[in-house]
Amino acid sequence: MKYKAKCQIKRNKKLLTENELQLSADVLVIGGGPAAAWAAWAAASQGVKVIIADKGFLGTSGAAAASGNGIMTPSPENWQKVASERYRVGKDLANLRWIERVIEKTWLSLPLVEKWGYRFPKENGESVRQSYYGPEYMRVLRKNLLRSGVQILDQSPALELLLAEDGSVAGARGVQRQHHRFYTVRAGAVVLANGGCAFLSKALGCNTNTGDGMLMAVEAGGELSSMEASNHYAISTAFNATVTRGVPFGWASYTDETGKDLGGYIDGRRDPAFLPNALMKGSVYARLDKATDEVKAVIEKSHFIAFLPYKKAGIDPYTERVPVTLILEGTVRGTGGIRLVDDNCATKVPGLYAAGDAASREFLAGLASGGGGPNAAWAISTGQWAGVGAAVFAKSLGARANERVARAAGQVGLRSNSFASETFDSDAIVRGVQAQMFPLEKNYLRSEQKLLDSLAKLEALWQQVQGNPKQDTVRDIEFSRRAAALTAVARWAYFSALHRTETRSEHIRVDYPQTDRNQRYYQATGGLDKLWVRRDWITDTLTTSSVETTPTTPVVSKL
């Protein structure tokens, strides 16, 4: 390395440490999507000081800001019907009480968005609050946070939690890209709302979702749950494989390379298992020729982002065939995430809360996908419950909460005990993880041998990220930590998948093709160097589709 380059690196490291920003708050929210925004507002509404730190620019980063989305918010007369259907989709692992409280909380919350300035469409003079236009929705939420006195740290990815001597959370530490410095926020409580993990698959709006919150939670002593539900794939055009909006493809005809009709429908509805199985045999093409003029008008308005690739390429999707593919969205539209231990979205770590896609959505969806409307409602409701819970916890600590002795909990990808001068290659680590997580034949159709083979390769990558991380710039620091998070999440996902020996919802085991009614439990998981799985048995009574009473919270026993 040339002398000038070495000198510049030394100057960079000096600026990083000497120019560190020190802040304090009652509640720190980590994330920048709807769940984070709702959590920050809810905490501020309790009269506490709130800081929110986003990896991007809050309001424009993340999956919600990228396009429109439906919301699971039926009118009250349809609550029971929608809740029962959602429970049925969860295949005996969802919880009806949680589903009902999510629906109710979302219904009561959406008028607030309108009050803050969002304009829902109207029918017969009444607002129709069943979907949102992402960019405008997030703009309104950001504006409301500023009006509520919340301090926003943009372009400030959080990297690790701080822990007090008693094991409770005491804040977090990260980097600010634009100021080229570290920052530390001391806080009485923290809400992790920084999304799930899509493994940098380029799914629209999901490249900020790299599993950082899950790694931070486990390092602090938290647990994950239902990580086997981490293999959700979404349809996209192959020539612009990023926009994952599946609704328009519900009116498509599917053909192979030669033009042969492939079917793909069951009782008039698109078969979710059709496309992955077809793609493993060869190329698949789609043409939206089943859409009527009325359908065209609706889907082009509500899913406009899905039609931009066609317009840019000069393609008429209603008359021309286009190649399609599947993009891994992982836990973003899957289920796995940080395990919640009470109605306030608390985690096992005192003072640490989780919301949105960062949290496990097992109560809402079992091992099925809650993508779209259910997850949007989950973000709104869990964001508020977590924000209030964090505020109450912070208040309970008193005025001296931020004077507690605290230590940084992060290790892998941030610090190393190695004396070697060589640093690990973050990009190579990411490619190695993707090679195990992207292929349908590995992650969609799972088997014991394939899972063991992938886990062995992921273990080798984990050993690599134990080495020296590159830390010459804030980007180096962020990317080294990101590589560690992606590797960690992949290991937890496949380790959980290995231990659930059945096929249920999106978790498909070709060596165990049936759903086993005796496996009615959630799988908690965690560990860093040594992984573990625990069965949390659900012992409440199964709920039938004709529900008349509301069951209690799932009662779980540990094995």
Side-chain angles (χ1 to χ4, degrees), residues 93-95 225-226 335 339 360-366 522-523:
L93 293 189
N95 175 250
S225 196
S226 294
T335 298
R339 178 173 170 262
S360 171
R361 280 131 289 158
E362 58 197 8
F363 296 153
L364 179 71
Y522 300 125
Q523 283 196 146

Side-chain angles (χ1 to χ4, degrees), residues 251 288-299 318:
W251 286 272
L288 309 184
D289 54 0
K290 295 180 181 291
T292 64
D293 290 339
E294 182 180 9
V295 168
K296 291 177 185 178
V298 172
I299 61 178
Y318 304 110

Side-chain angles (χ1 to χ4, degrees), residues 144-397:
N144 182 60
L145 291 181
L146 294 173
R147 186 166 49 234
S148 300
V150 174
Q151 182 177 355
I152 300 175
L153 302 180
D154 293 311
Q155 303 294 332
S156 302
L159 301 175
E160 61 182 332
L161 294 173
L162 305 180
L163 294 180
E165 292 178 311
D166 62 357
S168 61
V169 74
R173 190 166 184 255
V175 292
Q176 291 193 299
R177 299 191 191 105
Q178 294 175 321
H179 300 285
H180 193 78
R181 65 186 178 188
F182 283 109
Y183 73 89
T184 296
V185 178
R186 295 297 305 271
V190 173
V191 178
L192 290 172
N194 46 351
C197 185
F199 299 98
L200 295 177
S201 64
K202 297 184 180 179
L204 186 66
C206 291
N207 267 20
T208 54
N209 301 138
T210 53
D212 316 293
M214 286 182 266
L215 178 56
M216 286 191 279
V218 172
E219 287 177 329
E223 298 177 343
L224 309 179
S225 196
S226 294
M227 287 300 293
E228 62 269 33
S230 55
N231 59 337
H232 183 85
Y233 289 84
I235 189 172
S236 172
T237 58
F239 63 86
N240 186 0
T242 182
V243 180
T244 53
R245 287 297 178 267
V247 171
F249 290 100
W251 286 272
S253 294
Y254 297 94
T255 53
D256 64 12
E257 189 81 40
T258 67
K260 178 184 176 183
D261 184 22
L262 296 175
Y265 290 86
I266 298 177
D267 297 329
R269 298 178 65 87
R270 185 156 63 91
D271 176 12
F274 155 72
L275 188 55
N277 285 294
L279 283 168
M280 283 187 281
K281 297 176 183 177
S283 298
V284 177
Y285 295 80
R287 180 169 52 215
L288 309 184
D289 54 0
K290 295 180 181 291
T292 64
D293 290 339
E294 182 180 9
V295 168
K296 291 177 185 178
V298 172
I299 61 178
E300 287 185 24
K301 181 179 180 180
S302 60
H303 295 274
F304 69 95
I305 192 71
F307 291 87
L308 287 180
Y310 299 120
K311 292 180 179 179
K312 289 182 178 180
I315 294 172
D316 180 357
Y318 304 110
T319 61
E320 299 179 57
R321 295 195 314 154
V322 296
V324 293
T325 188
L326 287 170
I327 301 175
L328 180 65
E329 291 183 322
T331 71
V332 175
R333 286 198 194 179
T335 298
I338 301 167
R339 178 173 170 262
L340 304 180
V341 301
D342 68 15
D343 282 2
N344 294 322
C345 299
T347 73
K348 187 180 176 183
V349 183
L352 183 63
Y353 297 77
D357 292 348
S360 171
R361 280 131 289 158
E362 58 197 8
F363 296 153
L364 179 71
L367 300 183
S369 173
N375 275 2
W378 177 262
I380 292 169
S381 54
T382 59
Q384 292 179 79
W385 295 326
V388 171
V392 171
F393 184 91
K395 287 180 179 180
S396 73
L397 297 177

Side-chain angles (χ1 to χ4, degrees), residues 94-124:
N95 175 250
L96 188 61
R97 188 181 73 85
W98 269 81
I99 296 171
E100 289 177 336
R101 64 194 294 256
V102 166
I103 290 173
E104 180 182 27
K105 187 66 172 178
T106 304
W107 172 264
L108 295 174
S109 300
L110 288 177
L112 289 171
V113 185
E114 199 163 32
K115 178 181 178 182
W116 297 335
Y118 187 87
R119 296 182 180 179
F120 288 100
K122 292 184 180 294
E123 289 184 4
N124 300 321

Side-chain angles (χ1 to χ4, degrees), residues 387-558:
V388 171
V392 171
F393 184 91
K395 287 180 179 180
S396 73
L397 297 177
R400 302 176 66 87
N402 292 329
E403 297 178 13
R404 294 174 292 169
V405 176
R407 64 174 178 86
Q411 188 65 43
V412 62
L414 287 175
R415 301 172 180 89
S416 172
N417 295 322
S418 173
F419 294 103
S421 59
E422 186 176 352
T423 58
F424 65 79
D425 185 338
S426 297
D427 290 338
I429 297 292
V430 171
R431 290 193 299 271
V433 171
Q434 292 172 335
Q436 302 309 312
M437 302 305 293
F438 284 1
L440 289 164
E441 60 271 18
K442 293 185 178 184
N443 201 5
Y444 176 71
L445 297 181
R446 295 162 163 173
S447 70
E448 179 177 4
Q449 190 56 56
K450 286 188 285 187
L451 289 167
L452 288 171
D453 289 345
S454 288
L455 281 166
K457 293 180 175 65
L458 292 169
E459 188 61 33
L461 295 175
W462 182 252
Q463 294 305 314
Q464 290 182 44
V465 294
Q466 302 290 322
N468 285 327
K470 188 177 180 182
Q471 296 187 323
D472 299 336
T473 67
V474 290
R475 278 293 195 183
D476 291 334
I477 296 168
E478 180 186 354
F479 288 175
S480 294
R481 182 62 161 169
R482 183 179 71 181
L486 291 171
T487 309
V489 174
R491 291 167 74 234
W492 289 317
Y494 276 176
F495 197 72
S496 292
L498 180 66
H499 284 80
R500 185 175 283 277
T501 53
E502 65 165 346
T503 290
R504 189 186 293 258
S505 300
E506 295 199 336
H507 170 63
I508 299 174
R509 286 286 299 266
V510 296
D511 46 353
Y512 294 97
Q514 303 301 317
T515 298
D516 182 358
R517 290 182 65 84
N518 293 320
Q519 294 191 35
R520 191 167 178 252
Y521 51 74
Y522 300 125
Q523 283 196 146
T525 189
L528 295 167
D529 294 332
K530 184 176 178 59
L531 304 183
W532 57 265
V533 162
R534 182 187 69 238
R535 295 175 180 178
D536 287 349
W537 292 89
I538 303 172
T539 58
D540 60 357
T541 304
L542 285 172
T543 305
T544 64
S545 58
S546 56
V547 178
E548 296 297 335
T549 59
T550 302
T552 59
T553 304
V555 179
V556 298
S557 58
K558 300 174 182 178

